[in-house]
Amino acid sequence: MLSPDPYRPATGEGRPDAAAAEEAAGKRGFLATVHGTATPKGAEGTVYRLFPGRVDGSGLRRVTAGDLVADPG
């Protein structure tokens, strides 16, 4: 297991989603956000967002809350 990335507080209007997009750009991973305004460039993987937004067209595979708690077996 890898160590988690250090905590970096995001400040300013819209900054949390901008910071998430910056961190996920060009990587493969799971992004969870309240508003779908994070748009990571070149990212691959899965996204969960509470409210729709630009992330829906980013190429990440969108999952719902039911997908997150579904029985994998």
Side-chain angles (χ1 to χ4, degrees):
M1 298 276 307
L2 298 174
S3 299
D5 292 335
Y7 174 74
R8 293 184 303 157
T11 59
E13 185 66 29
R15 185 67 187 133
D17 279 347
E22 180 181 319
E23 188 66 33
K27 296 179 182 172
R28 178 168 177 73
F30 174 76
L31 175 64
T33 182
V34 175
H35 300 283
T37 56
T39 52
K41 296 181 181 183
E44 298 177 4
T46 306
V47 64
Y48 169 78
R49 89 297 186 265
L50 191 56
F51 299 110
R54 294 185 307 265
V55 73
D56 290 340
S58 69
L60 296 172
R61 184 176 69 88
R62 188 173 62 86
V63 295
T64 65
D67 297 325
L68 296 176
V69 297
D71 181 9

